[in-house]
Amino acid sequence: MFPKAVLFALSLLAIVHGQQVGTNTAETHPTLPWQKCTKSGCTTQSSGKIVLDSNWRWLHTTKGYDNCYDGNTWNSTICPDNKTCASNCAVDGADYPGTYGITTSGNALTLKFVTKNTNGANIGSRVYLLNSDTKYEMFKVLNQEFTFDVDLSNLPCGLNGALYFSAMDADGGMGRFPANKAGAKYGTGYCDSQCPRDIKFINGEANVEGWNGSPNDPNAGTGQYGACCDEMDVWEANSISAAYTPHPCTTSEQTRCQGDACGGSDRYATVCDPDGCDFNSYRMGDTSFYGPGKTVDTKKKFTVVTQFITDTGTSSGTLSEIRRIYVQDGKVIQNSKVNIPGMSATYDSVTTKFCDDQKSAFGDTSSFQNKGGLPGISDTMAKGMVLVLSVWDDHAVNMLWLDSTYPTDADPTTPGIARGTCSTDSGKPTDVEVTNASASVTYSNIRFGDIGTTYSNTGTNPSNPGTPTTTPSAPQATQTKWGQCGGNGYSGPTACESGSTCHVVSDPWYSQCY
């Protein structure tokens, strides 16, 4: 995807020792305004912008434009070791629409899956929300609500339009690692709960030593280092299946791992929980809830609401529940109910009890609990996390863990195995990158604030897509059976649908319709 030669060269006179910045393409961050909401209403944050992850960027010499990394291989002359490579190489600015298929319009962000250009083709992308040109926006989600609209009607089996929070540094790592000269302005500092080893620069140093090119991905590989941190998957989805999943770690900030500590030979040997505790409606037994023509109809745009409820109903409390609500065609849709043997049919959110019962019913490893569970990720949420938006395909297991039967040799009638209707032969990158090259996902109308203030039962004002309808209407909506109807800090619907009434379950923190 990057140019292999240019007609001119530029020498830098200074002696440098660290991850550098190139000057071939000016870095101009596309704007993406979003809204901050309280009970008084929502205000637009016009300073919002996005930045492309540094892993996608052209990496070339500081004294010219020879590639430091080409295909899935490092230039051994320019990059004989990690420190020398960081000194010799620079990440450059990005042509967001032309090279990467990333466009913004108003409050909407569209990520194209495959973008062909004069240098080849770009596959997928990952961007972060900025609050200035040099700092990521840090979201503190405890006792708050995060909402966005999404259109993934053009996102088939094998693809993932993911929106999530990562415990990255606000400055991209420049403060903690002075060798990092690029920072958030150039999308550095990525980490997640998988402790990925495909990151080209970690802690301001290259990841050259021990690098092996991927056997089935011509653009990727793995080094001896990985980047670990807490991850809150608010949304991993395509038009067939969707999941939301917290992943705690035993460290509260981005941490570099090495070798087996990155989970190479033992998936669970890292400081993070790679599995998480997921709520996928299909996997949890409701096969009619999410998908084309289903209750949440993925053939058209809808709104996703996620509430991070604490045990005290305040931002200083500990995370105790993560609730999901949808809005489509002006209708509030409560999350699906669990229909799995051995699990209570009242579950419709992620709680400690839900996670314990799920792991037991599915026979899954208790890595989530061992790495701290909901309380474990709560401390990181209190400090603030970076918003990540992406689209990608899966060279490891073809995204079958999200939308098909996985493991593929297991009985799909066994609880937890069936995750969606996609064929076990679907999702191969060699197929989807050709057949579904025109796939895309659009995220829009991001809102964040007090619980019950970012959505309403009348949807979004069609004459002004950037402005939610009057927020006081949300508490006037009718709650469905088994939905929350009261509690300290709660401001959603308090009236229950016909046939159920509001009961105090945990005074004064939680009331439910039944």
Side-chain angles (χ1 to χ4, degrees), residues 124-142:
S125 59
R126 184 167 66 217
V127 302
Y128 313 115
L129 187 66
L130 296 163
N131 68 12
S132 73
D133 280 325
T134 57
K135 291 289 180 67
Y136 298 128
E137 183 68 49
M138 302 300 287
F139 287 89
K140 299 180 179 181
V141 302
L142 292 180

Side-chain angles (χ1 to χ4, degrees), residues 19 55 59 74 85-86 89 199-207:
Q19 184 179 7
N55 231 38
L59 184 64
W74 292 90
C85 186
C89 298
I199 309 301
K200 298 185 183 77
F201 283 86
I202 303 174
N203 296 2
E205 295 183 6
N207 198 12

